[in-house]
Amino acid sequence: MASLMEVLIDVLEKESQEYENLLTLSMKKTPVIVSEDLAELARITDEEQIIVSRINHLDHQRNEAVNDIANVLNKDVDNLKIVDLIRMLAARPDEQEKLAAVFDKLQDNVTDQ
């Protein structure tokens, strides 16, 4: 299960980075809209769509990783949440800390949107 947890942590880190990228782009939009630069607005919008597509792909990978972990743990995937996994990792504090940190960072990035 350790490698499954590493996959989950890696996917969450990538997902968090993509949300940061999306936030950065969205902050660029206001001045572009004010300046009525439609070409730049179109470029930003196109880039946002690419990022959203990557986020959707990463979300699918995250769901697969959680499904695999649920199967190994013999848990119901519909009721297994990341916070539950963090609690279950009490015996492995390094992994627990990594998962908690990346999950918190992802939550912060998503709520900043």
Side-chain angles (χ1 to χ4, degrees):
M1 186 171 93
S3 65
L4 291 175
M5 201 58 66
E6 290 170 7
V7 168
L8 178 61
I9 290 168
D10 182 57
V11 169
L12 290 173
E13 286 172 348
K14 289 176 182 175
E15 202 169 2
S16 179
Q17 182 60 51
E18 291 298 342
Y19 275 106
E20 283 182 35
N21 295 341
L22 195 58
L23 180 60
T24 299
L25 272 180
S26 70
M27 293 170 71
K28 292 179 180 178
K29 279 174 89 171
T30 301
V32 169
I33 292 170
V34 170
S35 69
E36 298 178 10
D37 186 348
L38 297 181
E40 181 64 10
L41 182 59
R43 188 196 67 74
I44 290 172
T45 303
D46 289 345
E47 197 170 336
E48 283 177 330
Q49 289 303 313
I50 292 168
I51 292 171
V52 168
S53 176
R54 287 193 302 245
I55 289 172
N56 286 336
H57 179 71
L58 289 166
D59 188 51
H60 179 72
Q61 287 180 332
R62 179 177 44 83
N63 285 333
E64 285 181 356
V66 171
N67 284 340
D68 291 345
I69 292 168
N71 286 336
V72 168
L73 295 174
N74 198 27
K75 299 282 184 181
D76 179 13
V77 70
D78 294 327
N79 294 321
L80 184 63
K81 306 295 179 215
I82 303 275
V83 292
D84 299 326
L85 292 175
I86 292 169
R87 275 189 237 113
M88 288 180 200
L89 288 172
R92 295 173 17 206
D94 290 342
E95 282 185 326
Q96 183 183 43
E97 184 179 327
K98 285 180 188 176
L99 183 59
V102 72
F103 181 66
D104 289 344
K105 184 178 177 183
L106 178 60
Q107 281 190 309
D108 290 345
N109 288 333
V110 169
T111 56
D112 284 346
Q113 301 295 314

